[in-house]
Amino acid sequence: MAKNEKSVTDLVCEHIKKQKLLPIPVQTLNEEAEATRYFGGDLKEFLAAAKTLGAKGIFVETLYLEDDEFYYDSGIDDEEYLAMNGADGSCTCGCGDNCDCKKGDKKRSKKAEEDDKVDGVLLEPEDLEGLDLSLLRPEIAKFLDRVGESCGVRLTVPGVDHLEVEIFADWYDEFAELVDEASEIIEEDPNGALEQVEAMFKEAEKAAKDEDKSVKKIAAHPPKKTAKSKK
């Protein structure tokens, strides 16, 4: 960001003040404890709604680009992942948690054999949890130097049910679009995504080896004799 360039928070706060509303800086500590209604319009419509609701001020929370946004997030936590794969001891054959019919084991074993016959292991999107998305969309890497930078603002009209909207900088919208594209590649074809990453690594290894060979080849040539050395 340029030294004198205003952040999206500054711009939004200025707009709020022009509407005779007070911007109130806040931080969200526990989102799960909040009763939130997400607003579907733009900033102008949000402020009009705030006035209609009788708001005297607007909570303003600055949002920042975080480094974990560069990695794939399936939205499935560890417990869900274990349950989906039967690793938590739960039944996967539909008989319930106290299943002792062993059908689940037979089904999993049969499916594993079928997958092996097709083309090795059949991946699910959650198997690629934490994958660096820039490996699928290299343009994402150009935003790495913006980590920790203000990328947007969350506005909230206080009340029993909070009315909330998020406004983002243009550059963050571009970043988010690339992240969505890379995530879709994983979700549509996890195996294909992994193959793409592996192919990239192989190409990089080959390029490194070729460069190493060219360096050795140049070093193998003896130094040229100058007129002085001939004498």
Side-chain angles (χ1 to χ4, degrees):
M1 182 188 293
K3 210 169 187 180
N4 298 322
E5 186 180 340
K6 291 183 179 179
S7 69
V8 64
T9 303
D10 294 331
L11 294 171
V12 168
C13 285
E14 286 179 4
H15 194 73
I16 291 173
K17 289 175 181 176
K18 288 179 182 178
Q19 301 302 313
K20 308 300 181 185
L21 290 166
L22 178 66
I24 306 169
V26 296
Q27 288 185 330
T28 299
L29 299 179
N30 186 358
E31 293 184 358
E32 294 181 0
E34 304 283 344
T36 305
R37 305 289 182 184
Y38 297 99
F39 189 71
D42 58 22
L43 177 59
K44 185 178 179 181
E45 293 168 331
F46 177 79
L47 295 177
K51 287 183 177 180
T52 302
L53 293 171
K56 299 296 182 183
I58 302 287
F59 288 156
V60 179
E61 180 184 358
T62 300
L63 304 174
Y64 301 91
L65 179 64
E66 299 180 6
D67 52 7
D68 61 359
E69 296 181 63
F70 289 80
Y71 301 92
Y72 178 64
D73 180 8
S74 66
I76 298 175
D77 58 31
D78 292 340
E79 290 183 5
E80 287 179 302
Y81 181 79
L82 291 173
M84 288 172 62
N85 290 277
D88 61 347
S90 61
C91 172
T92 58
C93 62
C95 298
D97 291 337
N98 297 320
C99 171
D100 59 358
C101 67
K102 303 300 180 184
K103 287 181 181 178
D105 293 334
K106 290 178 182 177
K107 286 185 177 180
R108 285 197 299 274
S109 177
K110 187 176 180 182
K111 184 178 185 303
E113 289 177 4
E114 290 175 352
D115 291 342
D116 288 339
K117 288 178 181 177
V118 177
D119 58 349
V121 180
L122 191 63
L123 298 175
E124 295 295 335
E126 55 269 18
D127 294 325
L128 298 182
E129 186 79 31
L131 180 70
D132 184 350
L133 294 173
S134 67
L135 295 173
L136 298 172
R137 278 289 181 269
E139 306 96 312
I140 291 175
K142 71 180 181 181
F143 295 95
L144 282 168
D145 60 353
R146 287 185 177 269
V147 171
E149 186 176 319
S150 169
C151 64
V153 61
R154 179 181 293 128
L155 306 179
T156 307
V157 175
V160 178
D161 286 333
H162 304 307
L163 183 65
E164 184 177 289
V165 71
E166 293 180 347
I167 309 294
F168 292 99
D170 291 340
W171 65 263
Y172 184 83
D173 287 335
E174 182 188 347
F175 167 77
E177 187 175 344
L178 289 169
V179 167
D180 287 342
E181 289 176 5
S183 297
E184 282 178 15
I185 292 173
I186 293 174
E187 286 155 11
E188 289 176 2
D189 183 9
N191 283 74
L194 185 59
E195 288 172 5
Q196 183 176 331
V197 171
E198 289 175 342
M200 182 182 294
F201 276 118
K202 286 179 181 178
E203 188 176 338
E205 284 181 357
K206 184 178 181 299
K209 286 179 180 178
D210 290 343
E211 184 179 353
D212 185 51
K213 286 179 181 178
S214 64
V215 171
K216 287 180 179 178
K217 189 175 181 181
I218 293 171
H221 288 287
K224 289 184 178 180
K225 291 183 178 179
T226 63
K228 187 177 182 181
S229 63
K230 288 178 182 178
K231 289 180 182 179

